[in-house]
C-alpha cells in the first residue's frame, strides 16, 4: 500500500471522527432541548448539522476513493 495514500486516509478518517463526535454532541443538545419542550431551540441547534453531515459524507467518499486508487509507478526520465 502507498504511504501517501495511507496518510491521506488517516487524516480524512481523523477529521471524520472529530466531526462525527461534534455532530453527536449537537444532536444530544437538540434532543435535550426537545425533552425540555423547546422545539425552536432544538431545530436551531441541529440546523448546522445539515452542512456538517454533507461534509462528513464527502470525507467518507474521499476515504473510499483513496482506498480504490491504484498507485501508478513513477517513470523516470
Amino acid at each position: 500500500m502507498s504511504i501517501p495514500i495511507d496518510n491521506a486516509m488517516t487524516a480524512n478518517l481523523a477529521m471524520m471522527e472529530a466531526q462525527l463526535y461534534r455532530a453527536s454532541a449537537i444532536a444530544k443538545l437538540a434532543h435535550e432541548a426537545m425533552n425540555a419542550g423547546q422545539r425552536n431551540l432544538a431545530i436551531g441547534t441541529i440546523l448546522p448539522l445539515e452542512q456538517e453531515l454533507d461534509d462528513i459524507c464527502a470525507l467518507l467518499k474521499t476515504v473510499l476513493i483513496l482506498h480504490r486508487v491504484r498507485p501508478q509507478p513513477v517513470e523516470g526520465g
Side-chain angles (χ1 to χ4, degrees):
M1 190 50 70
S2 166
I3 297 298
I5 290 174
D6 286 353
N7 290 342
M9 288 177 68
T10 299
N12 279 277
L13 288 167
M15 286 200 60
M16 226 171 83
E17 178 184 16
Q19 287 186 288
L20 284 166
Y21 181 80
R22 176 177 151 74
S24 176
I26 290 170
K28 182 177 190 259
L29 290 173
H31 185 225
E32 290 169 356
M34 271 309 290
N35 283 337
Q38 300 290 322
R39 179 190 288 190
N40 288 338
L41 178 60
I43 295 303
T45 300
I46 63 166
L47 278 176
L49 281 184
E50 189 171 19
Q51 179 62 51
E52 189 131 0
L53 291 174
D54 285 344
D55 294 346
I56 291 166
C57 285
L59 289 168
L60 173 61
K61 288 178 183 180
T62 300
V63 169
L64 294 175
I65 288 168
L66 288 167
H67 171 69
R68 293 180 188 122
V69 133
R70 302 206 191 286
Q72 299 297 317
V74 177
E75 294 182 23

